Amino acid sequence: MSLRAPGLPRAGLGALIGVGLAYAITVVARALYGWDPVVDGEAVLQVALIGAPFGFLIGLGAFDYWFYWAAGRKTRPEDHSSHGAHSWKDYFRVNTDHKVIGIQYTVHSFFFLLVGGMFAMLVRAELAEPGMQFVNPNAYNGLFSVHASILIFLFIIPVFAGLANYVLPLMIGAPDMAFPRLNALSFWMLPMAGIMFLLSFLAPGGSFATGWTAYAPLSVDAPIGQVFFTIGVQFAGASSIATALNFLVTIITMRAPGMSFFRMPLLVWANFSTSLLVVIATPFIAASQFMVLLDRALGFSFFDAAKGGDVLMYQHVFWFYSHPAVYIMMLPGFGIISEILAVKARKPIFGYRMMAFSLLAIVVLGFTVWAHHMFVSGMQEWIRVPMMITTAVIAVPTGIKIFSWLATLWRGVLHLDTPMLFALGFLTMFTLGGISGVSLALIPFDIHVSDTYYIVAHIHYVLFGGSLFTIFAGVYYWFPKMTGRMFDERLGKWHFWTTFIGFNLTFGPMHLIGIQGMPRRVADYSQQFATWNLFISCASFVVGLSTLLFVYNMVVSWRAGARAPANPWRAMTLEWQVSSPPPIFNFDTIPTVVGGPYEYGVPGAVHGVFKGAEVKTTAAPAGAAPAGD
Amino acid sequence: MRGRPVLVMVIAGVVASAIGIALGLTIHWFPTEASTQLGDIKTLYDVIIIVSVPVFVLVMTVVIGAVVRFRMRPGQEDQDGPPIHGNTKLEVLWTAVPAALILGLCAYSYVVLRDAERAPAATAPKEINIAVKGQQFAWTFTYPKDVAGGKALSTTELVLPEGRSVKFDINSEDVLHDFWVPEFGMKIDAVPGITTHYRITPNRLGTYPVVCAELCGLGHSVMRSTVHVVTEPQFKKWLGGQNKPAAPQGASPAQLAAAGKQIFTGASGCSGCHTLSDAGATGQIGPNLDQVLKGQSDAMLHQDIVDPNAAIAKGYGPNIMPQNFGQTLSESDLNALVAYLKEATQ
């Protein structure tokens, strides 16, 4: 345990130095302005929230290589000592291997799924009966705010980055990501955000309690806990921007010979599209939160109407990120589902090119719909109708994807194992979420139900029945590749059915109580909603418990599951053509891609060949010629 | 379903759609309809159900049909499906049909929206214009001079005549709120710095809740009030009675306290935030009055109501309690309330 070598002890020291520096900066700045230099607690805290995480990252060694390079010291470019994991301890170090980072991301994200899920259980426990039982209104507002923030910024968005981090370089035949050190830094910025969100409960005045949307001016006047969100989001956002750039460069420059864009698996297409969204949209949430921070800390008045600020500007800037963010949370899942359906139905993806183009269409349209969150915000009336049309039209490319998946299933040979069950569950639940999404685009109906439980139901059908089901499907699907072990199929099916049924019983009735008039984000509600809320709370505990089945299955199977063969699903994409888990630099020989990724049912077709193997070119490129039905 | 799988699925799909639509139209989705605007929204929702149930049934039918008919059977472990890559006709069809359906829905919604927001015809009874102010955590309604008889009238409860269009001009003192009566259907945010509007025409007598739909902080869930839809003569009578004091001049202390109790539990909304055992109030947003008001003088009690920031109970922040009770409550109401609080806590 040396404090000079990079690692967790030095990281702890770095964080302390960060706090000390924050204190010093505040005292010096106050003295220079002629104010009483003795501590103002809030000022120190705000600076420390920025300083301490950087101290932690530097101590951990995330910047060592770049510092060495900047200082002109020897950088050891050929030393791959930080590549690959030999024991579980290596997962707590800065590691540049995309497979290790992928697992770090995924496990870290699932930890936060459990934390966020636990907050959800507390929220539902409080709502089981009218009146206040377990928590006071301030704690309640904090619970649902942290619940949503954690699950969005520390689970759904990063877990997709984690899964893609693991499989994407393998899928395109690359030895690693384009920028391995940036990749490691991207991961290590995430725990900063998570720790901040959780520590906010210790702040005077309680956790941030303004919802995950943190609307100004409430967030400007809120107690200091709000700053934990304002700054934490910056770390989560910086992490996803860096990852997205890494994906874009990797996909554009590091594909194996022969892998044209239209021979890429749809997961790669999906992450390509998502990365475009992230790079363009994420700076907007950074901007919105920086404006809140400047209003709070330095007395700016972006959002202070009394001083000429514009309250609605917050929502425009915020939703210009946060609507595309819904697609950031959907598109990678679309990719996962395409992989699984083709393999498990033993058929090529129907309409491959349309599937790729519809992803790009969603990327473009995703930026044209932000103000549909603002139909009752008091914005200019004329914006509403164009937003209604673009919002409704985005259902068309989404519909194309759903119908293409259905056509992929048709006449296949369906292997109904756990990944496939979650994929089919996703298809049905996401369709419901899409339909309620169209109903919300229709302004008069939206006016009645916005800010009610109908919205809560819709967003959970999209992000739970949509994103989370694709995440479960993907984790089960690639579990053998990542761990070299098979999971317990029986437990997996139990997990699916308890989640599927519990989920529908929880969120289905919310549509009804929403239309009937129950507002969202309320700690207490009127007596007329009591029966349904008790029912919903009971059902939600079933979902909560079902997650424990999943955790048990993953942990036990990882330790003692049956050994997985290289290609248990007989898939064609490249990641399945190497051992499980793959060798440290992925491929012993560079693969050459000779056909489409989903040529199931084509005799003798292969997607890629390795040097020495015989090249067969009978496979038609995917989507080249409609074979008819 | 061996021989004609598609035919069986079409029949199953049509039957399931019919059942789904029937069920969707039968379920009592909405609260009691108390405005013409909500009536139009309900019709729009019926159309949404009629269009979307078949779409969902189509997806479900294909998923279930494929699972039943094409699931892997023993002996098929190594078989593949036919290598079908696409079908241009089908793909055009499933792009064009949803696009047409969606544009149709948008067009219809636009018509509903225009009707909901249209000003009443010149022949209709004169529209009432009410100013709504949201603040943490209470609503204040102000009736204009011409309606209230020469002097603007501010209340904490809303009373509306049936059958007359009402236009609300909404703004906020502090943070975002959202003015919503579920039974009226329409809602809009109260935004600091701008005034927002909507109009409704109440069409059913009764008493309905006013809620705040936009998260506004600690007391968001208790930021409630009441709207009474009454007949035109009752409305006139209510307006006439508004400027009279709650307790007559020279009332006995007992009468005064009884009037104060009514103010506490009723219109002013004190019981939503405070606990006071005498009034049966159990609110937890503000301090427990049983404890904090003990031994206070009349003047201190008066100050607690009209200037709550002057003395804040330990453990509570400033600006949580509305600061305009001095304006919304008349002097005699205030006296009654002070008399009651004194009696109830000492």
Side-chain angles (χ1 to χ4, degrees), chain A residues 257-389:
Chain A
M259 179 167 283
S260 63
F261 264 81
F262 285 107
R263 277 180 182 168
M264 293 195 311
L266 284 170
L267 181 103
V268 181
W269 267 108
N271 278 285
F272 182 73
S273 320
T274 309
S275 301
L276 286 176
L277 274 176
V278 170
V279 170
I280 302 169
T282 310
F284 284 88
I285 192 169
S288 70
Q289 298 312 311
F290 273 132
M291 288 196 275
V292 169
L293 188 65
L294 291 172
D295 267 15
R296 292 184 62 100
L298 301 179
F300 282 38
S301 44
F302 286 116
F303 308 123
D304 186 346
K307 292 182 187 159
D310 184 348
V311 172
L312 284 181
M313 177 176 66
Y314 177 88
Q315 292 174 48
H316 283 294
V317 179
F318 177 83
W319 287 115
F320 202 75
Y321 162 76
S322 291
H323 191 80
V326 173
Y327 300 105
I328 293 171
M329 293 182 261
M330 289 312 311
L331 298 188
F334 290 173
I336 292 172
I337 295 304
S338 298
E339 298 304 317
I340 292 173
L341 286 187
V343 173
K344 299 291 173 187
R346 311 298 309 162
K347 273 186 70 205
I349 282 286
F350 194 92
Y352 171 93
R353 275 171 189 259
M354 279 293 265
M355 291 294 259
F357 289 137
S358 61
L359 286 167
L360 296 178
I362 292 173
V363 170
V364 175
L365 283 171
F367 284 105
T368 64
V369 303
W370 78 94
H372 72 214
H373 295 269
M374 300 169 62
F375 286 155
V376 300
S377 71
M379 66 174 175
Q380 299 287 24
E381 286 183 5
W382 66 267
I383 311 179
R384 297 179 301 172
V385 172
M387 286 292 161
M388 164 168 76
I389 295 168

Side-chain angles (χ1 to χ4, degrees), chain A residues 168 172 247-255 264 268 271-272:
Chain A
L168 192 141
I172 61 170
F247 278 139
L248 284 176
V249 177
T250 307
I251 294 168
I252 292 170
T253 63
M254 292 178 71
R255 281 166 292 136
M264 293 195 311
V268 181
N271 278 285
F272 182 73

Side-chain angles (χ1 to χ4, degrees), chain A residues 121-165:
Chain A
M121 295 295 101
L122 290 173
V123 164
R124 281 316 319 177
E126 175 55 53
L127 290 177
E129 283 178 49
M132 302 307 291
Q133 287 89 32
F134 301 105
V135 292
N136 63 40
N138 195 32
Y140 176 86
N141 290 354
L143 279 178
F144 74 72
S145 303
V146 179
H147 153 78
S149 307
I150 279 187
L151 289 182
I152 288 171
F153 296 113
L154 286 152
F155 175 61
I156 299 183
I157 294 177
V159 80
F160 279 130
L163 289 171
N165 231 305

Side-chain angles (χ1 to χ4, degrees), chain A residues 132 135-139 141 144-145 209-211 213 215-218 221 305 309 311-312 315 345-352 354 375-379 381 384-385 388-389 392-393 395-396 399-404 406-407 409-416 424 427-429 431-432 435 438-439 442-452 454 511-512 514-526 528 570 598-603 620-629, chain B residues 1 5-6 9 27-32 38 40-41 44-45 48 51-53 55-73 76-88 90-92 94-96 98-100 102-103 105-114 116-117 136 174-178 180-198 209 211-222 224 282 284-285:
Chain A
M132 302 307 291
V135 292
N136 63 40
N138 195 32
N141 290 354
F144 74 72
S145 303
T210 57
T213 51
Y215 273 4
L218 186 60
D221 300 333
V311 172
L312 284 181
Q315 292 174 48
R346 311 298 309 162
K347 273 186 70 205
I349 282 286
F350 194 92
Y352 171 93
M354 279 293 265
F375 286 155
V376 300
S377 71
M379 66 174 175
E381 286 183 5
R384 297 179 301 172
V385 172
M388 164 168 76
I389 295 168
V393 163
V396 173
I400 291 174
K401 302 200 77 68
I402 288 175
F403 291 127
S404 293
L406 292 179
L409 291 177
W410 196 245
R411 294 179 62 193
V413 181
L414 306 187
H415 294 239
L416 295 172
L424 297 178
L427 267 186
T428 51
M429 293 307 96
T431 305
L432 272 181
I435 288 172
V438 170
S439 74
L442 307 176
I443 304 164
F445 181 66
D446 180 84
I447 288 176
H448 177 70
V449 295
S450 67
D451 285 315
T452 68
Y454 192 88
H511 292 107
L512 179 67
I515 298 181
Q516 282 185 344
M518 179 160 162
R520 69 172 176 169
R521 294 173 171 168
V522 287
D524 191 12
Y525 50 85
S526 73
Q528 69 175 116
R570 296 191 297 120
Y598 310 113
E599 301 301 312
Y600 302 103
V602 181
D629 191 354
Chain B
M1 59 187 272
V6 176
M9 281 170 53
I27 292 177
H28 198 70
W29 292 95
F30 283 83
T32 314
L38 184 63
D40 291 347
I41 293 173
L44 172 66
Y45 188 66
I48 293 173
V51 175
S52 37
V53 167
V55 175
F56 180 64
V57 167
L58 174 71
V59 174
M60 285 303 286
T61 317
V62 177
V63 169
I64 294 172
V67 165
V68 170
R69 195 173 135 77
F70 300 116
R71 67 189 305 167
M72 186 191 73
R73 295 188 163 75
Q76 292 183 322
E77 282 81 1
D78 293 327
Q79 277 185 20
D80 281 3
I84 301 161
H85 280 104
N87 181 324
T88 311
L90 256 181
E91 288 173 39
V92 170
W94 69 45
T95 311
I102 272 164
L103 291 177
L105 276 177
C106 285
Y108 175 51
S109 303
Y110 176 69
V111 173
V112 172
L113 178 70
R114 211 189 42 188
E117 297 187 337
Q136 291 171 324
D174 37 40
V175 300
L176 295 175
H177 303 278
D178 190 300
W180 189 37
V181 177
E183 281 77 0
F184 289 163
M186 304 295 281
K187 70 159 82 71
I188 203 159
D189 280 4
V191 185
I194 62 174
T195 302
T196 55
H197 317 272
Y198 69 77
V211 300
C212 174
E214 183 71 67
L215 176 63
C216 59
L218 209 53
H220 171 53
S221 57
V222 295
R224 297 176 190 156
T282 55
Q284 292 179 24
I285 307 300

Side-chain angles (χ1 to χ4, degrees), chain A residues 572-589:
Chain A
M572 297 186 80
T573 42
L574 292 178
E575 82 271 27
W576 297 105
Q577 314 311 321
V578 294
S579 61
S580 302
I584 190 159
F585 290 106
N586 295 353
F587 301 96
D588 297 326
T589 51

Side-chain angles (χ1 to χ4, degrees), chain A residues 464 494-495 498-500 541-551:
Chain A
F464 192 140
W494 270 98
H495 173 221
T498 45
T499 308
F500 185 79
F541 298 140
V542 174
V543 180
L545 290 175
S546 77
T547 314
L548 299 181
L549 281 180
F550 169 77
V551 173

